[in-house]
Every structure is written in C-alpha cells, then in structure tokens.
C-alpha cells in the first residue's frame, strides 16, 4: 500500500523532529515521575510530606488529592462545552469541541492515576474498590460516577462525534488507515446516519450534563460533609467545586486552543470568535466563584465558631497567607481580564492567555489551601497546628502525570484530526426516511439502555452497606457496567447499520482537507 | 415499525415500564429479604452465656490521672503498636493509640496543665465509618468501631472524618527494636504499611473474657474485661465496662455530675467519659 499519510489533514500521521523531541522530553519527565512513585512505594508513603492529623502534626492529604481535584476540574468544560455546542448549536465553537472532549478524557484518566497514587495500598485498592465499594461513602460516587461513568460518557461522546472525520481519513491509504476504519466503524455519511447522529448526540449531551454536575458535586461532598473539619464542613462545597471546575477548565481550554491554533496553524479552522465565548464563560464563572468565597468568608468571620475562625486566620494572616492572597489575585485577574475584553469588545491574546494562566494558578492554590489548611489548622479540639511541605517525590509524580497527559494528547493529535475535517456542518440535518433496520436498531437501543438502568440499580442496591462485605462482591462493578451500558446505548443506536436500498448515500463525501503545516 | 425519527411510542412505554418494574423490584426485594446488608443483627459475634450484647464504654477520671503515661506504654506493648523515632521523619507519624494530650491554660504564674488520656472514643454515631469506601471500619453489635485491617486501602478518609484525630496511618513499614520482637502479642495482628489503625478497646481481651465465660457457663461480670491501659494504671483512673449494665461501675460513673464527653455537640456520641471536678471546655 502506498503510504499517503501526507494527504491526511492537520499533521495526522506525520511525525516530525519537533514531535519526537517533544515526546522525548515528556517521556523524560514522566520517567522521573515513575521513579519517584516507585521510590515512594518502596520507602513508604512517609517519604512524602504527609503526616497524621493532630497536635503539631500535619496533613494526611496533600498534593495528590489537590491535583486529583484539579484534573477532575479541568475535565469539566471539555464535555460541558461539547454538550452546550450541541444543544445550543453554537456553530462558532464547534471546531474546538473535539479538542475539549479529548482534554476531558485525558484529564479524567490523570485524575484516576492521581488518586491511586495517594492510596496507601494501591494494589489492594484496585481490587477492593470494585469488590466492596460502599455507596454511602462519597468516594463511591467519585470512583464510580466520576472516574468510571463520567470518563466513559466523555469517551462515548468523543467517539461518536469523531466517526465522520475518521471515515474521511480512512479514505486515504496510510499507516493509520486501520485505526481510522476501526473508529469509523462503517460510517457512510448518509442523511440517515447524520440524522441518527444528530439525535443520539442531542440526548447524550442532555444526559451528560446532570451526570457531570452530580459527579463534580460528589467531589465537593467528600469535603463538605466532614463535620469534624472546620473549613470543609458546609453546604457551599458542592456548588463551589462545580464552579471552580468550570473556572480552571475554561482557563485551561483557552490556553490549549491558543496553543494548538498557533502551533498547528489552525487559524483558518478555529475562528478568533471562539475566544470571546471562552472569555465570557471565564469571567462569569470567576465572578460566581468570587461571590461564593465572599459569602463563605463573611459567614465565618461574622458568626463562626472560634475554631472555624482559626482556619480563616491561617489563610488571611497565618502560614497560608501567601498562597491565599495569590489565589485571590489570580482569581480577580481571571475575572477582570476577560471582563475588559467583554466591555471593550476587543479580545486580545494579551488578555486571554494571562487570564487562562491565572485561572489555573488560582484553582491549584485554592484547592491547596482548602485541602491542607483544614487539616493542619482545622481542629475542633483546638490542637496545636501542624504543617505540610510537599516532598520532591510528590512534585515529581504530579509533573509526571502532566507529562503523561501531554504525551497522550500529542499522540492523539498524530492519530486523529483534532478539528473537524468534513466541513459541511452548516447543512441542515434532513429528516431521513426510516430504513429497514430502524426497528431492530430501536430494540437494541432500548434493550441496552434498559439493561444499563437495571444493572446500575441492581449494582447500587447490592453494594455493601453498613455491614462490611455483606453485599454481593463486585456489585459496584455491576453499577459501573450499568452506567456504561446506559451511555453505550448511544453507540448502539448509531452503529446498527442501515439496511435499506432506498437510503442512498449522499454525494461523495468531500475529500479530506489539503495537508496543513506540521506541528 | 417506527414511523419517525424518534422512538416508537409502544417501544418506549414498554421499555420504561420494564425498567420501572425492575427498579422497584430491585429496591424492594432486599428489604423484603430482611435487609442483611445494613445493620443486621443476624449474628451477634462474641455474645456470652446470657446472650446479651454489650455497649462497651470507658470512664477516665482526670482528677486521679497523674499523666504518668503507663497507659500509653501498656497499650503499645499489648497491641503491637510500632515504635517511631526522633527527628523530623517521625514528627506527626508516630502511632499512639492511647495518646496523652497535654494542654496548658493561662499565663505564668497562673498556669494549669491538663493531661487527657485519649483513646478512640468508640462513638455510637461515628463519622469515620460512614466515609470508608470499602467498609474496612464499621460499627459492630457491641458498639465497638471495629476494623478489618487487610481490607483497608489506605485512603485516609476516616482520618479526615474523625473529629478527635484518633486514627493513625502506617506511613512506613512497622518496625520494632530487636529486643522487642520476641515480646509481640500473638493475639493482636500487626498492621502493614499503608493501613490506618486505632485503639480497639482491647477487643481481643473482650473476646477472651467472653470465651472464658462461655466455657465456665456463667455470665460475664463487670470487671471480667480489663483493657491494658486500665490494668496498668497506678491511680486506677481508667474504668471499662458495659454502659448498658446499670450495675456496672462505668454506667454509674458516666452518670456522675463530674462526667463529660469530648465534643458532645458534634453528634458523634462518644463512649469515653471523662470525670473532672473543674473542667472548662
């Protein structure tokens, strides 16, 4: 087969020197992270900076949990943007949907790795969590809904929305043709296919949003229900986590879009009009989060218990003052800079890129001060405050996770087009006449969806309650499989092939765009 | 055969009805089956000859306590608590099931130092068991916050939840001095690195006493069970027994006007009572 990878769009299949240098650098950082984690496994979790709670002790949750929450937060706009683009037909944002979806999938993977890295017995955790996870623990929601359900739903959405472009790429004989064909799974770009895709993605987008809100709220509840930890306990944690996830995720998306647009010369595909949308999302979400922070501070400082004030004091005047005020400053910048763009109607990169960076710095530092301060200074017994200083290994593992994410993203960029290839998105979706397979398709769809609901319910009910090991072993897996099946039904609906001679394919699908500059 | 783009109405109604029926059935069936999953009384382990389960509790008389630390040492010895060491490596990482908390109030020369021996409070509504993702810690029928150490995955969520900071994580592989290894108590399992542990109210001593009572064909009497800390206290400041037995010493002392519990307003219902004539929270 003649390899015509050069005809694939947007640098797909072309691995230049720049790519290999980048991957080598990331692999090096990832290698250091792996070494650091192996060292921690061998020497014990005590080789980190974490310690017990109590008098003159420290924090038992540190950087791994901070970045676990960060990575889950970065995944938030990935699917939210993709879902909103679909539901509200925001055409100008469609070119960035796939890169946002991919960001969501990869960041959720990194979140899972971060939390496993934090476990004292990770191998046992990987077995015991699927076997005995308890729905009553907020970690159940984190483990099942976030890492499994949300990750899988994001992957399904990414898969379905990419099939059309994969089918276009599969027409070009290249080394990656097998992958493109596999991914496209027989997509033929007929009116019927487009109609079914439109329908499936509508409902998928609609149902992913409550899953997303639930999943992020569960993360907030991990902290918010802890009556024994002043600074954590409160009703605002769940909504605050959702909003801060939006802030950091939109900020990260701005940086990613700007970077890819520049490096891959996508200016003609990703319009500049994308940035006002992202900028507006950013200042609105930042404003909401600032409001939450003010509300919380006023409540505690006005009428909080003395013990709760100790935590506030540690942030405003104590050992966490520096990161706390940097958080305030960067959050304010993430609000003010895009607001300037909104008010002046001039969206310069000099506003947006610093805003994106500030949003992420604020998100990391806010989570750091939240997670750590309530452990070292949040004691209902008035214990002597402790301290937490991350060890080199923790930094190395986190850097390794970022490097892994960068490698996966870059690999995807070379395997699939990151922006739409087939460019007739403005065509109205025709209502196609049903084909002979439509009845069978519906039966399979409903059977999959029903099986998913039943399994998820059964798995939830059969999971252990208060009596340990009393539920059915691996019932949590049933729950996860049920949730996955519910989302898999969308794939079933789209993939059951048409079977009608009356359903003729549309005019020959347009060829892939001309090759673009390499990254 | 469907006629439009959307789902066929009959298919939709059928599938919804089937799902609803399945969901209702799956929710109802476990409850009809007796709800063994949650708080079942099907097997009350360790009940003695009179088939009564206990509500184990402790009373610590702060007016007798001298702060000598014998209770803490005895506990470490009895329960194979690993030793720590000096230096920053061990700061905040030592395991101390019976922790002596020293607080100082006032300014020189009017200084008052209090010593609080603090075991696990074995709460009746513990915050820690709710959050454990794998059920490695749970409330058993005798009111003990029990642990299954080999079920623990080391997430440390229970440590976050405990308002009294009575749980400890094994940050390193446990070690004992060479001289101590032959003195480990074979009745208490050692815990590996990566596992959270805490005071168990000498659960193994409770089991032994109950077994002996069964063998002897008698009821377990007040005073049959002595925790290691109670046994060794020279001031006899620690009492242990069944709070549900109105004739037990702990039940009478818990009703004393000197009695108080830590953080009573938090709602955990701790079962360690402290006695002090003058104590300001």
């Amino acid at each position: 087969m003649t390899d015509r990878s050069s005809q694939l769009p947007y640098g797909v299949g072309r691995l230049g020197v720049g790519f290999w240098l980048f991957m080598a650098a990331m692999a090096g950082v990832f290698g250091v992270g792996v070494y650091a984690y192996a060292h921690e496994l061998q020497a014990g979790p005590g080789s980190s900076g974490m310690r017990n709670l109590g008098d003159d002790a420290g924090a038992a949750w540190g950087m791994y949990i901070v970045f676990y929450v960060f990575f889950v937060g970065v995944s938030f706009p990935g699917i939210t943007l993709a879902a909103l683009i679909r539901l509200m037909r925001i055409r100008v944002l469609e070119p960035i949907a796939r890169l946002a979806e991919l960001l969501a999938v990869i960041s959720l993977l990194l979140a899972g790795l971060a939390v496993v890295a934090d476990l004292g017995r990770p191998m046992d955790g990987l077995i015991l969590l699927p076997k005995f996870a308890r729905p009553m623990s907020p970690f159940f929601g984190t483990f099942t809904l976030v890492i499994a359900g949300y990750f899988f739903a994001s992957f399904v959405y990414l898969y379905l929305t990419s099939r059309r472009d994969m089918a276009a790429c599969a027409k070009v004989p290249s080394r990656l043709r097998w992958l493109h064909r596999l991914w496209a799974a027989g997509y033929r770009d007929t009116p019927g296919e487009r109609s079914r895709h439109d329908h499936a993605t509508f409902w998928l987008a609609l149902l992913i949003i409550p899953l997303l809100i639930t999943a992020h709220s569960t993360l907030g509840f991990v902290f918010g229900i802890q009556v024994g930890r002043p600074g954590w306990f409160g009703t605002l944690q769940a909504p605050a986590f959702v909003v801060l996830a939006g802030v950091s995720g939109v900020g990260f998306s701005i940086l990613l879009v700007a970077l890819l647009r520049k490096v891959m010369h996508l200016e003609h595909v990703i319009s500049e009009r994308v940035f006002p949308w992202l900028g507006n999302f950013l200042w609105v979400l930042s404003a909401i989060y600032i409001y939450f922070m003010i509300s919380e501070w006023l409540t505690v400082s006005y009428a909080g218990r003395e013990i709760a004030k100790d935590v506030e004091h540690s942030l405003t005047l104590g050992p966490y003052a520096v990161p706390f005020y940097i958080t305030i400053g960067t959050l304010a910048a993430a609000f003010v800079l895009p607001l300037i763009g909104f008010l002046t109607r001039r969206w310069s990169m000099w506003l947006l890129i610093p805003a994106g960076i500030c949003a992420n710095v604020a998100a990391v530092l806010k989570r750091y001060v939240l997670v750590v301060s309530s452990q070292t200074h949040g004691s209902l017994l008035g214990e002597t405050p402790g301290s937490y200083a991350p060890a080199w290994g923790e930094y190395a593992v986190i850097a390794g996770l970022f490097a892994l994410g960068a490698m996966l993203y870059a690999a995807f960029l070379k395997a699939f087009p990151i922006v739409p290839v087939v460019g007739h998105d403005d065509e109205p979706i025709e209502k196609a006449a049903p084909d002979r397979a439509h009845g069978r398709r519906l039966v399979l769809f409903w059977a999959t969806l029903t099986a998913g609901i039943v399994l998820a319910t059964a798995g939830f009910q059969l999971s252990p309650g208060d009596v340990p090991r009393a539920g059915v072993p691996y019932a949590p897996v049933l729950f996860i499989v049920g949730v996955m099946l519910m989302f898999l039904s969308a794939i079933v609906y789209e993939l059951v092939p048409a079977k009608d001679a009356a359903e003729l394919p549309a005019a020959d699908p347009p060829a892939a765009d001309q090759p673009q500059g390499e990254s | 055969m469907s006629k439009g783009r959307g789902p066929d109405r009959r298919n939709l109604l059928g599938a919804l009805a089937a799902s609803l029926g399945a969901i209702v059935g799956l929710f109802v069936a476990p409850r009809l089956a007796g709800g063994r999953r949650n708080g079942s009384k099907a097997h009350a382990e360790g009940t003695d000859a009179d088939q009564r389960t206990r509500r184990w509790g402790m009373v610590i008389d702060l007016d007798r306590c001298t702060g000598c630390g014998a209770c803490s040492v005895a506990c470490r010895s009895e329960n194979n608590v690993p030793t720590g060491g000096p230096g920053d490596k061990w700061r905040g990482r030592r395991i101390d099931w019976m922790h002596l908390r020293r607080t100082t109030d006032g300014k020189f020369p009017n200084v008052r130092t209090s010593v609080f021996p603090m075991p696990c409070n074995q709460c009746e509504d513990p915050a820690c068991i709710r959050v454990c993702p794998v059920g490695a810690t749970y409330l058993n029928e005798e009111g003990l916050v029990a642990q299954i150490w080999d079920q623990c995955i080391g997430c440390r969520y229970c440590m976050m939840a405990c308002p009294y900071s009575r749980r400890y994580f094994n940050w390193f592989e446990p070690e004992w001095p060479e001289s101590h290894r032959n003195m480990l108590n074979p009745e208490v399992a050692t815990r590996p690195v990566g596992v959270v542990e805490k005071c168990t109210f000498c659960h193994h001593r409770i089991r032994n006493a109950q077994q002996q009572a069964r063998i002897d064909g008698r009821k377990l009497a007040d005073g049959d069970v002595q925790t290691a800390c109670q046994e060794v206290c020279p001031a006899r400041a620690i009492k242990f027994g069944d709070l549900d037995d109105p004739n037990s010493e702990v039940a009478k002392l818990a009703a004393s006007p000197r009695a108080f519990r830590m953080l009573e307003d938090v709602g955990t219902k701790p079962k360690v009572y402290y006695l002090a004539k003058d104590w300001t929270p």
Side-chain angles (χ1 to χ4, degrees):
Chain A
M1 180 194 73
T2 310
D3 182 10
R4 294 196 198 135
S5 297
S6 58
Q7 291 183 11
L8 287 169
Y10 308 121
V12 173
R14 277 164 284 153
L15 310 177
V17 171
F19 172 79
W20 287 116
L21 281 175
F22 176 78
M23 291 296 261
M26 292 299 107
V29 176
F30 178 61
V32 172
V34 170
Y35 170 76
Y37 184 60
H39 174 260
E40 192 177 295
L41 279 179
Q42 188 263 327
S47 58
S48 69
M50 295 182 281
R51 300 173 198 270
N52 289 325
L53 306 180
D55 285 299
D56 192 30
W61 278 354
M63 297 287 276
Y64 298 138
I65 297 295
V66 168
F67 278 92
Y68 159 61
V69 179
F70 174 79
F71 285 129
V72 176
V74 163
S75 75
F76 178 93
I79 290 307
T80 313
L81 278 175
L84 285 177
I85 289 166
R86 171 62 189 86
L87 291 171
M88 291 158 62
R89 299 250 189 238
I90 309 173
R91 295 284 188 201
V92 71
L93 290 180
E94 278 177 7
I96 66 165
R98 189 171 307 147
L99 68 92
E101 288 156 23
L102 179 63
L103 178 66
V105 169
I106 290 177
S107 60
L108 285 172
L109 174 69
L110 299 182
L113 291 175
V115 84
V116 168
D118 185 63
L119 292 179
R121 301 208 301 167
M123 290 296 125
D124 298 81
L126 289 173
I127 295 169
L128 292 172
L129 276 168
K131 200 171 179 182
F132 293 124
R134 296 172 58 244
M136 194 181 187
S137 169
F139 268 170
F140 181 87
T142 305
F143 164 59
T144 58
L145 288 178
V146 175
I147 296 179
Y150 184 33
F151 172 80
F152 188 73
S154 305
F155 178 75
V156 165
Y157 199 86
L158 174 67
Y159 170 73
L160 288 177
T161 51
S162 308
R163 280 182 70 217
R164 193 191 205 189
D165 287 337
M166 299 310 139
C169 290
K171 292 186 186 311
V172 177
S174 72
R175 286 170 298 182
L176 292 169
R177 198 179 203 181
W178 64 272
L179 187 60
H180 298 152
R181 274 184 174 158
L182 190 67
W183 191 282
Y187 184 84
R188 289 188 301 151
D189 206 32
T190 60
E193 290 252 30
R194 288 201 293 271
S195 165
R196 282 193 296 279
H197 173 71
D198 189 65
H199 200 62
T201 49
F202 175 83
W203 286 101
L204 199 54
L206 196 64
L207 293 173
I208 270 183
I209 289 181
L211 174 67
L212 178 147
I213 305 278
T214 308
H216 277 89
S217 298
T218 304
L219 210 51
F221 285 129
V222 166
F223 298 89
I225 59 160
Q226 296 310 322
V227 68
R229 294 262 87 84
W232 283 5
F233 185 59
T235 51
L236 265 186
Q237 290 294 3
F241 265 65
V242 174
V243 173
L244 189 59
V247 170
S248 65
V250 171
F252 207 98
S253 299
I254 289 174
L255 298 175
L256 191 61
V257 169
L259 177 72
L260 291 179
R261 200 166 169 265
K262 187 82 182 162
V263 165
M264 296 178 69
H265 309 292
L266 296 174
E267 292 87 347
H268 64 292
V269 181
I270 301 176
S271 154
E272 266 189 344
R273 290 181 298 141
V274 158
F275 292 108
W277 277 94
L278 295 178
N280 285 329
F281 283 143
L282 183 58
W283 73 258
V284 169
L285 289 169
S286 301
I288 296 173
Y289 195 76
I290 290 171
Y291 167 60
F292 281 160
M293 284 183 76
I294 292 172
S295 169
E296 189 184 9
W297 171 75
L298 273 176
T299 307
V300 171
S301 59
Y302 188 92
R305 295 173 69 160
E306 234 16 78
I307 300 288
K309 288 182 184 174
D310 284 349
V311 178
E312 286 294 314
H313 191 266
S314 76
L315 300 182
T316 51
L317 293 168
Y320 301 106
V322 168
F324 179 69
Y325 288 118
I326 294 177
T327 304
I328 303 280
T330 46
L331 203 52
F335 166 62
V336 167
L337 292 173
L339 182 66
I340 292 174
F342 170 71
L343 293 173
T344 61
R345 303 261 191 271
R346 279 206 287 234
W347 294 93
S348 148
M349 284 298 124
W350 291 108
L351 287 176
L352 284 167
I353 294 191
I357 293 171
C358 286
N360 282 280
V361 169
V364 170
L365 289 180
K366 178 64 174 72
R367 288 174 177 121
Y368 171 80
V369 298
L370 172 78
V371 169
V372 178
S373 68
S374 286
Q375 294 178 72
T376 57
H377 289 72
S379 165
L380 291 179
L381 289 176
E383 289 158 327
T384 313
S387 64
Y388 167 67
W392 75 268
E394 293 171 84
Y395 289 117
V397 169
I398 298 301
L401 287 175
F402 273 103
L404 176 65
M407 283 198 293
L408 290 172
Y409 208 97
F412 184 93
L413 290 178
K414 291 300 175 184
F416 307 115
I418 198 64
V419 286
V421 169
V422 184
H424 48 252
D425 305 284
D426 288 331
E427 290 180 8
I429 306 292
E430 301 158 23
K431 181 178 169 176
D435 61 290
R436 279 205 313 260
H438 196 59
R440 184 165 66 98
R441 183 179 300 118
L442 284 180
V443 167
L444 285 173
F445 163 73
W446 283 111
T448 311
L449 182 63
T450 307
I453 293 172
V454 167
L455 276 180
T457 310
F460 189 88
Q461 279 295 92
L462 296 172
S463 292
D466 294 340
V467 180
R469 298 178 172 174
V472 172
Y474 297 107
V477 175
L478 266 186
F479 177 76
I480 293 169
V481 168
V483 172
M484 287 180 172
L485 273 181
M486 286 162 65
F487 288 99
L488 203 70
S489 61
I491 293 184
V492 168
Y493 183 74
E494 281 205 34
L495 254 60
V496 171
K499 242 193 200 179
D500 201 323
E503 187 168 353
L504 295 171
D508 284 356
D513 285 344
Q514 290 305 308
Q516 302 303 313
E518 292 185 20
S519 64
Chain B
M1 175 70 96
S2 65
K3 291 221 180 258
R5 274 196 305 167
D8 178 75
R9 192 185 305 169
R10 227 180 329 166
N11 290 345
L12 170 63
L13 289 175
L16 281 177
S19 303
L20 201 60
I23 291 167
V24 167
L26 285 162
F27 269 101
V28 166
R31 280 146 183 82
L32 289 177
R36 184 175 175 269
R37 214 166 51 84
N38 283 311
S40 164
K41 302 271 188 244
H43 173 68
E45 54 178 27
T47 49
D48 46 58
D50 61 357
Q51 291 299 303
R52 186 164 67 83
T53 56
R54 312 281 165 172
R55 195 164 65 97
W56 299 109
M58 186 178 277
V59 174
I60 300 176
D61 193 336
L62 297 176
D63 291 334
R64 284 176 174 256
C65 175
T66 62
C68 70
C71 53
S72 184
V73 172
C75 171
R76 313 183 78 79
S77 179
E78 177 78 9
N79 294 291
N80 305 330
V81 177
T83 53
D88 192 62
K89 175 184 172 182
W90 284 102
R91 180 180 67 81
R93 297 193 180 119
R94 296 180 197 95
I95 299 178
D96 207 3
W97 287 20
M98 177 56 111
H99 175 62
L100 263 66
R101 185 157 185 260
R102 287 177 169 80
T103 58
T104 307
D105 298 313
K107 285 190 173 163
F108 184 82
N110 303 311
V111 177
R112 176 185 164 153
T113 299
S114 310
V115 177
F116 278 96
M118 291 182 68
C120 169
N121 281 276
Q122 305 285 350
C123 305
E124 289 188 83
D125 190 8
C128 54
I129 65 163
R130 282 188 231 133
V131 300
C132 179
V134 291
T137 185
Y138 64 100
L139 191 65
N140 75 6
E141 290 88 357
E142 294 181 297
L144 295 176
V145 179
Q147 301 158 91
I148 307 172
W149 286 314
D150 64 353
Q151 183 112 332
C152 178
I153 62 173
C155 71
R156 309 187 292 290
Y157 200 2
C158 55
M159 293 171 69
M160 301 298 141
C162 178
Y164 309 97
S165 305
R166 298 285 82 239
R167 284 177 168 271
Y168 299 91
F169 186 63
N170 278 278
W171 295 98
F172 302 104
E173 196 66 54
E175 287 174 354
W176 292 268
E178 187 73 43
S179 56
H180 197 80
R181 281 180 213 157
N182 290 333
M183 293 189 277
L184 291 175
N185 186 352
E187 291 185 334
V188 180
T190 57
R191 286 73 61 190
V193 63
V195 160
V196 174
E197 59 179 69
K198 66 167 187 69
C199 158
T200 62
F201 267 7
C202 284
H203 191 228
H204 57 287
R205 289 189 170 207
I206 298 173
R207 288 289 156 268
N208 290 344
Q210 285 170 333
Q211 279 178 10
Q212 194 58 51
R214 267 201 297 275
I215 291 168
D216 297 344
R218 58 175 173 82
K219 295 180 186 178
L220 198 66
D222 186 40
D224 278 351
V225 182
Q226 285 205 316
T227 56
C229 51
Q230 173 191 16
E231 185 181 353
V232 82
C233 176
R236 294 201 297 275
I238 300 176
K239 309 291 181 198
F240 181 79
D242 180 9
L243 289 168
D244 275 348
D245 177 1
N247 298 317
S248 69
E249 196 172 5
V250 288
K252 291 175 187 167
L253 289 172
S256 157
R258 288 191 301 144
F260 67 92
R261 294 176 294 174
M262 293 287 202
L263 298 177
E264 295 198 54
D265 56 339
V266 168
T268 50
K269 300 181 198 160
K271 294 211 301 299
V272 173
Y273 288 79
Y274 293 91
L275 305 178
K277 189 162 162 240
D278 298 308
W279 181 77
T280 312

